[in-house]
Amino acid sequence: MNHVDIKAIAQKPEEYFDKKVTVCGWIKSYRDSKNMAFIALNDGTTLNHLQVVIDKNVLTEIPEGATRVGSSVKIEGTAVKSFNQNQAIEVNAQSITLLGDCPLDYPIQKAKTSLDYLRTLPHLRVRTNTFNAIFRVRSKLSFAIHRYFQERGYLYVHTPIITGSDCEGAGKIFKVTTIGYDAKYKSEAEYNADDFFGQSAGLTVSGQLEGEVMALAFGKIYTFGPTFRAENSNTTRHAAEFWQIEPEVAFAEIDDIIAIATEFIKYIIKAVLDECPDEIAFLERFYEKGLRAKLHKVVDDEFVKVDYTEAIDILKKSGKKFVYPVEWGNDLQTEHERYLTDEVYNKPVFVVNYPKEQKSFYMKQNPDGKTVAATDLLVPGVGEIIGCSEREADYNKLMQAIKDRGMKMSDYDNYMDLRKFGSVPHSGFGLGLERILMYATGMGNIRDTIIFPRAKGELR
Ligand code: 4AD
Ligand code: MG
């Protein structure tokens, strides 16, 4: 249809003053008076609605449906300078065509738009201002992520979605199969052998292992794709399907990759501030007071780096009663992470050198024999957004780590070869896209950053 985006008009109003325009969109509000009517129109290209002014003496025929919230219309008219200080431009309508009527039982009405309620209507909530803002930030953020790596010569790689190995070894793999289990199979091995791949297969939890293969050929690579975890707990921070960004860098040790992660996070948060000012202002107004200042602080301030052992000390001395006990050797629970980020530092924190038992097999073992060169980046309000480590480059130590965890050695033959043929120090990290999006938009629930969220018992 021949029409102009509302964003184009809003961005350069002076180019449209006193010109004929055709705009399309959905009606966000309709205000009526004796001689005049006003439509707030939105076509999704911008958070800001366009005001359409109807002089009822000029436009005598208004289709009935075109007065209802949610209806879609095409409007022809003249763009004029607005005297309302909230907008630069408005359109005096000359004709209104109803494209799609929206009956009065349209469930997205102003009075009922809590996030909980909107979650029951994933296909319609995306038309609200809130989701207009969130998904635009998601798009800009994703593009900024690509730009960061592309500008620095990283290779973008697509790693497999179906995999035969468990990168994290956490047993959260969704099984991929074409046949049901049947009494005719005498063992699981026999069942798997009969299945599509002739072995057990699952959806990937991480592209890292294949990312390492590519990094040891191309030097600097990144992945950006969907990953899957059968998370049994229903939390506000875990999804069964989420997007992960995983750079992998050859000739980089743990401090090098921490420096890269820091620069990267600052870069993408700055991009959101620069490219989504209206969205951030909206989200600040309705969801998180101080959001903009918080994001500016991420760009401007240094991140904290604290040793796991010291973090345990701080937690022990805090005098706080935690549900999970604070002991050297235990994993940090959300409540511990939140205490460190929200109460002690109030900014992003790298916790480094975790006990090796708490972490994955591939992480480089430190000379102390107890810890690994791994770090999580924690941020206030959300907790962990990045999992990061230097990889174990020593053949024998890696083999031992796989054995110690009772993992199947034959699943990692390719991976072991990387340590056999031209092994190099290398490091990488994984950023959860939805986690950083929660942080950047002030959303408290990961379900509000994904169009159709997948979680235990949730699939629509
Ligand atoms: O810490 P994780 O498990 O690390 C890895 O997967 C490594 N292979 C990454 C690497 O070094 N290449 O996950 C990385 C990040 C987490 O910090 C978190 O942001 C996100 O992925 N994440 C999830 N996001 C949403 N829902 C879930 N269930 C998530 N699990 C992890
Ligand atoms: Mg992690």
Side-chain angles (χ1 to χ4, degrees), residues 264-278:
F264 167 66
I265 293 292
K266 286 173 181 280
Y267 178 99
I268 61 177
I269 291 295
K270 182 167 187 310
V272 168
L273 282 166
D274 290 347
E275 295 167 37
C276 306
D278 294 347

Side-chain angles (χ1 to χ4, degrees), residues 167-168 205-208 227 229 231 237-248 359 362 376-377 384-389 391 428-436 446:
C167 172
E168 292 307 306
V205 297
S206 159
Q208 179 193 324
T227 47
R229 293 189 192 181
E231 299 280 357
R237 307 180 314 139
H238 290 90
E241 178 178 308
F242 62 99
W243 283 63
Q244 222 186 131
I245 298 95
E246 296 185 273
E248 193 69 37
K359 292 289 181 188
Y362 53 72
D376 284 355
L377 178 61
E384 178 191 338
I385 60 166
I386 278 180
C388 172
S389 63
R391 317 311 189 186
F429 64 83
L431 168 71
L433 178 67
E434 291 80 6
R435 294 270 179 93
I436 182 109
I446 197 163

